[in-house]
Amino acid sequence: MRMEGTAAVVTGGSRGIGLAVARELLDAGASVLIGARGKDGLEQALASLGPAPGRLIAAAGDAGDEVDVRRWAGLALETFGRLDFVVCNAGANHPLGPAVTSDPTAWRDTFAVNVHGPLALVRAAWEGWMREHGGSVVTVVTEGVHGVGPGLAAYETSKAALLQLTKHLAAELAPRVRVNAVSPGLVRTELARFWWERDEAGLAAGTPLRRLGEPEDIAHAVVWLLSDEAAWVTGADLLVDGGRRVRAGMLASPPTPEGGSGRRPD
Ligand SMILES: NC(=O)c1ccc[n+]([C@@H]2O[C@H](COP(=O)([O-])OP(=O)(O)OC[C@H]3O[C@@H](n4cnc5c(N)ncnc54)[C@H](OP(=O)(O)O)[C@@H]3O)[C@@H](O)[C@H]2O)c1
C-alpha cells in the first residue's frame, strides 16, 4: 500500500488496534496523528513507532469529547496541511450489566465515545478537508453487534449505532468520501483481556482459524479499506474474526459432503 503525501487521524492510537493501524499507515508513507487520553501511553507509542520526522504527532484528548476530537482534526490539518484518512478506533467497553439496571450516566458516556465522538470527528474532517478534497473513513465496530453478549448491552447497542452511522455517512458523503466499518472478533488487546486471558487455548480451539486475533489482523483490514485499493467499497462492514461468526451461525449438524441432513437434532 503506498500512501505517501497523505495524512491520517487515528483515535485510540496509543496501543492495541489503533497503534497497529498507526504503524501500518506510517510504513505506507502516510503522516499520522494518534490521539488517546493517557499521555504516558502516547509517549510510549511514539517511542515504539520510531522516528518519523515530520510525519508523526500525538495529542492527548478524549474521543468522546467533541472539542477534543475537533482539536485533533485541526492539529492534523495545521501540522500536515491535509486530512485524507480518519480512523474512529477508540472505544468505550464497560460491561455495565443488564440494560434495565445499568447506570444511565455510564450509558451516555459509552455513547459519547462510540457514537458522538466519531460523528464529531468526521464532521470536522469533512469541513476542514474532505468536502473539497475527498478522503476515506473507517470506524471500528465489533463482531458483537451480530449477536448478544451478556452484560454488553451498552457497548453493543452503541457499536450497532456506530455501524448504522457508518452506513448513513457512506450514503451522504459519496462520491467524495468512502466510509466503511471493520468489525473485529476477539483480539488479544488490553480492552479484551478479561475475555481471553482465562482460556485463550479454548477460545482459539473454538475459532475456525484456530487462534485469537492480533492487532495487526485488524490493522490490515482498516488500512486496506482506507486505501485506493478499496476505491469501489463504501458502506461495508468487514468482519475480521477468524471465522467465529460463521461458526456461531452453524447448524448443530451441518450438511456433509456425504449428504448429512443439515437439520438441527431434536
Ligand atoms: N480487542 C477486541 O477484542 C475488540 C473486539 C471488537 C472491537 N474492538 C474495538 O476495537 C477498538 C480498539 O480496541 P483495542 O482492543 O485496541 O483496545 P485497547 O488495546 O484497550 O486500546 C484502546 C486505545 O484507545 C484509547 N482510548 C480508550 N478510550 C478512549 C477515549 N475515551 N478517548 C481517547 N482514547 C481512548 C486507549 O488509550 P487511553 O486509555 O490512554 O485513552 C488506547 O490507545 C475499540 O473501539 C474496541 O471496541 C476490540
Side-chain angles (χ1 to χ4, degrees):
M1 229 78 79
R2 298 320 315 159
M3 292 175 157
E4 279 92 358
T6 62
V9 167
V10 181
T11 71
S14 65
R15 61 172 188 266
I17 293 167
L19 180 62
V21 169
R23 180 169 286 118
E24 200 157 313
L25 286 170
L26 284 168
D27 287 350
S31 299
V32 181
L33 178 149
I34 52 172
R37 292 164 304 178
K39 289 193 173 139
D40 290 350
L42 286 169
E43 288 300 325
Q44 283 167 22
L46 287 179
S48 97
L49 289 169
R55 289 201 298 126
L56 175 62
I57 50 173
D62 189 329
D65 182 326
E66 299 195 13
V67 174
D68 284 356
V69 302
R70 283 196 160 272
R71 191 166 44 79
W72 286 339
L75 196 54
L77 282 162
E78 202 181 293
T79 311
F80 307 132
R82 55 193 301 142
L83 180 48
D84 307 270
F85 307 130
V86 164
V87 182
C88 300
N89 164 73
N93 178 8
H94 309 294
L96 298 177
V100 287
T101 53
S102 48
D103 174 14
T105 307
W107 268 72
R108 276 192 283 276
D109 291 347
T110 301
F111 269 73
V113 178
N114 294 353
V115 185
H116 300 297
L119 176 56
L121 180 55
V122 174
R123 274 196 182 130
W126 170 257
E127 288 161 14
W129 180 262
M130 293 182 180
R131 176 164 44 198
E132 198 176 337
H133 305 282
S136 182
V137 174
V138 171
T139 59
V140 180
V141 182
T142 173
E143 173 263 355
V145 299
H146 301 289
V148 173
L152 293 177
Y155 176 65
E156 289 180 353
T157 306
S158 65
K159 288 289 190 176
L162 178 61
L163 179 57
Q164 190 65 6
L165 173 64
T166 303
K167 294 176 189 173
H168 276 276
L169 291 172
E172 289 177 10
L173 305 187
R176 280 196 174 279
V177 178
R178 294 183 301 102
V179 189
N180 291 289
V182 169
S183 284
L186 196 53
V187 181
R188 282 185 344 114
T189 66
E190 277 311 306
L191 175 132
R193 180 176 288 282
F194 171 80
W195 284 277
W196 56 261
E197 198 169 48
R198 279 170 298 178
D199 186 20
E200 199 181 332
L203 287 163
T207 303
L209 294 181
R210 297 289 185 268
R211 64 174 175 85
L212 300 190
E214 298 295 335
E216 292 70 24
D217 292 313
I218 310 304
H220 296 330
V222 170
V223 174
W224 176 73
L225 281 169
L226 291 175
S227 79
D228 287 346
E229 302 291 316
W232 207 50
V233 183
T234 198
D237 173 21
L238 180 50
L239 189 62
V240 185
D241 71 341
R244 279 186 77 87
R245 181 51 48 188
V246 168
R247 186 174 176 115
M250 271 180 172
L251 299 174
S253 63
T256 66
E258 291 75 37
S261 71
R263 278 177 290 157
R264 287 177 194 277
D266 293 333

